[in-house]
Amino acid sequence: MADSTLSPTAGASAPADRPVYVVGGGPGGLSVAYALRAQGIRAVVLEKSDRVGASWRRHYDRLHLHTTRRLSALPGLPLPRRFGRWVSRDNVVRYLEKYAEHHELEIVTGVEVSRIERTPDGTGWLLHATGGRELTGGAVVVATGHNHTPRVPDWPGLQDYTGEFLHASAYRNAGPYTGRDVLVVGVGNTGAEIAVDLVEGGAARVRLSVRTAPHIVRRSTAGWAAQYTGVLVRRLPVGLVDRLARPMAGLSVPDLSAHGLPRPGTGLYSRVTEGSIPVQDVGLIDAVRKGTVEVVAAVDGFEESKVVLADGSRIEPDAVVAATGYVRSLEPLVGHLDVLDARGRPVVHGARTPDHAPGLYFTGFTNPISGMIRELAIDARKIARAVAKTNAKSGGGQVSRLLT
């Protein structure tokens, strides 16, 4: 990994000397940086933390990829076989570190980009960054991540809640909750896995608050990973996939209605297009059937030491873990450019750029059914080819090329 030093005026030079700036040193940013280098284009990764893969380092201890090792590698470097089929969080971090080192990527840590705008002459992009830096790039790839800023709903009474409360981003393992009564709020993959972790770690009681029943799929059935099916159907019509998924779910996943988790009324792929990925079972089904994870109603608010549920009941757990997701927090960065939709998502991603913002790319802000890391790797190559094509059309004046 090659670290660069940026001065406050770095990049304020002739257009031919402008690099492509990649904002974010996670899987998306690193893969784009490699793909650009493979095209002979200089790419500089700007990472606000002191190391690559910062978001992965913050995840809970037991986390493993829900996608297979073979379909989760970034371009130019396979994941080692010794990591196993389902790669652990720690091994993902090791891989990202090795990836940056192996490809000798140009990475600058400790630099946070706060705002991106067009250069005054309209020929590139101006990045406002830590320490008053103003960096000028021929193109910019925003790869700050789908899980950027923890989201906590504005529940009534939360500020005065006297019990222990934390977002799932602060949860590491079940150690602090042994022998305690814990409420997990939210039944996405994170909430489901944390609930199972608490049971296995010795929590005295684990309740799971559910607002909308999720689609649950087996991570693997007879050796066939759920991801393989996701890859096969990702281009099919949404309605067709919904119809195909319904009988498959009936065969592979038991009906948990009696335990508070009825089968969803909307189709699996329809929910994916709305941003809700199916829960991959890593023990939740058995825990719910055995009663070691109790499903309760959605949280409506808090009253001192009590949690108020949507069915009118009040419970008093020792701790509440809010697995309520994240927001992308792109508004301060690019909100003024009219490149986000009403939900704060980029209007385009991958190799496409907004018509009024050429040279501005986004990667990693969707959660595809075929696996996020797999799609990041595909998008990286597409973005690099698009930048190279644009550069060729402009006679090489948009971004700098590496000396060969």
Side-chain angles (χ1 to χ4, degrees):
M1 178 171 62
D3 287 337
S4 299
T5 301
L6 298 177
S7 66
T9 57
S13 55
D17 294 329
R18 293 173 179 171
V20 175
Y21 282 111
V22 181
V23 185
L30 298 181
S31 58
V32 168
Y34 162 74
L36 287 165
R37 284 179 59 90
Q39 291 282 347
I41 297 170
R42 184 186 175 206
V44 179
V45 178
L46 305 176
E47 168 54 47
K48 70 177 182 179
S49 74
D50 60 351
R51 294 175 293 180
V52 300
S55 64
W56 276 94
R57 299 174 193 274
R58 294 193 297 268
H59 287 310
Y60 48 94
D61 295 348
R62 73 172 282 152
L63 177 65
H64 285 68
L65 289 179
H66 292 164
T67 53
T68 66
R69 172 181 54 81
R70 291 182 61 189
L71 295 184
S72 300
L74 301 181
L77 186 68
L79 278 157
R81 290 177 61 87
R82 69 178 182 277
F83 286 177
R85 191 182 195 196
W86 312 105
V87 183
S88 70
R89 178 205 65 183
D90 290 346
N91 281 333
V92 170
V93 171
R94 293 186 183 99
Y95 173 71
L96 295 178
E97 292 174 337
K98 180 63 176 179
Y99 190 86
E101 178 185 355
H102 178 78
H103 292 305
E104 298 182 338
L105 301 181
E106 191 172 351
I107 300 171
V108 186
T109 58
V111 174
E112 182 173 8
V113 178
S114 57
R115 183 178 173 90
I116 299 171
E117 58 190 26
R118 294 292 283 173
T119 54
D121 62 6
T123 62
W125 291 94
L126 181 65
L127 289 74
H128 299 270
T130 306
R133 297 178 177 89
E134 292 186 347
L135 313 172
T136 306
V140 177
V141 183
V142 180
T144 49
H146 194 273
N147 296 340
H148 186 273
T149 302
R151 172 187 173 272
V152 176
D154 187 20
W155 283 307
L158 178 58
Q159 298 227 353
D160 298 320
Y161 179 59
T162 58
E164 181 180 345
F165 181 93
L166 68 154
H167 187 269
S169 59
Y171 178 91
R172 293 294 171 268
N173 56 60
Y177 307 100
T178 301
R180 302 176 69 192
D181 180 344
V182 185
L183 172 68
V184 180
V185 185
V187 69
N189 278 294
T190 296
E193 193 154 350
I194 287 176
V196 173
D197 192 49
L198 287 164
V199 169
E200 295 178 355
R205 186 177 189 182
V206 179
R207 284 174 282 195
L208 182 60
S209 171
V210 176
R211 184 172 298 278
T212 304
H215 285 276
I216 303 175
V217 299
R218 300 286 188 182
R219 186 170 66 174
S220 179
T221 303
W224 179 264
Q227 184 188 12
Y228 297 162
T229 302
V231 171
L232 291 175
V233 305
R234 73 193 191 285
R235 304 294 184 192
L236 295 178
V238 172
L240 174 59
V241 178
D242 284 347
R243 290 193 295 272
L244 293 173
R246 194 170 296 115
M248 291 175 61
L251 291 172
S252 62
V253 178
D255 186 357
L256 300 174
S257 299
H259 303 279
L261 280 181
R263 297 192 189 278
T266 54
L268 184 149
Y269 207 8
S270 293
R271 293 277 289 275
V272 170
T273 61
E274 296 168 359
S276 179
I277 292 295
V279 171
Q280 293 205 15
D281 179 49
V282 290
L284 180 67
I285 292 174
D286 286 344
V288 169
R289 293 175 75 180
K290 293 175 181 176
T292 52
V293 169
E294 305 169 47
V295 178
V296 298
V299 171
D300 265 5
F302 293 80
E303 291 179 356
E304 297 182 347
S305 63
K306 295 182 175 62
V307 181
V308 182
L309 302 181
D311 61 5
S313 62
R314 286 161 172 76
I315 61 176
E316 196 167 357
D318 297 320
V320 176
V321 181
T324 46
Y326 296 79
V327 292
R328 300 163 187 84
S329 297
L330 290 171
E331 288 81 4
L333 194 66
V334 296
H336 54 286
L337 297 173
D338 192 27
V339 296
L340 304 177
D341 66 15
R343 295 172 61 183
R345 302 173 302 183
V347 295
V348 297
H349 69 277
R352 298 174 57 202
T353 62
D355 292 339
H356 58 284
L360 180 63
Y361 300 87
F362 296 89
T363 185
F365 296 100
T366 61
N367 205 354
I369 195 171
S370 49
M372 179 178 286
I373 295 180
R374 177 183 182 275
E375 297 301 325
L376 286 175
I378 293 171
D379 277 351
R381 293 189 174 98
K382 290 180 177 178
I383 291 170
R385 287 196 295 266
V387 173
K389 184 177 180 180
T390 300
N391 199 40
K393 286 182 178 179
S394 66
Q398 293 298 312
V399 296
S400 66
R401 302 194 69 85
L402 296 169
L403 296 176
T404 57

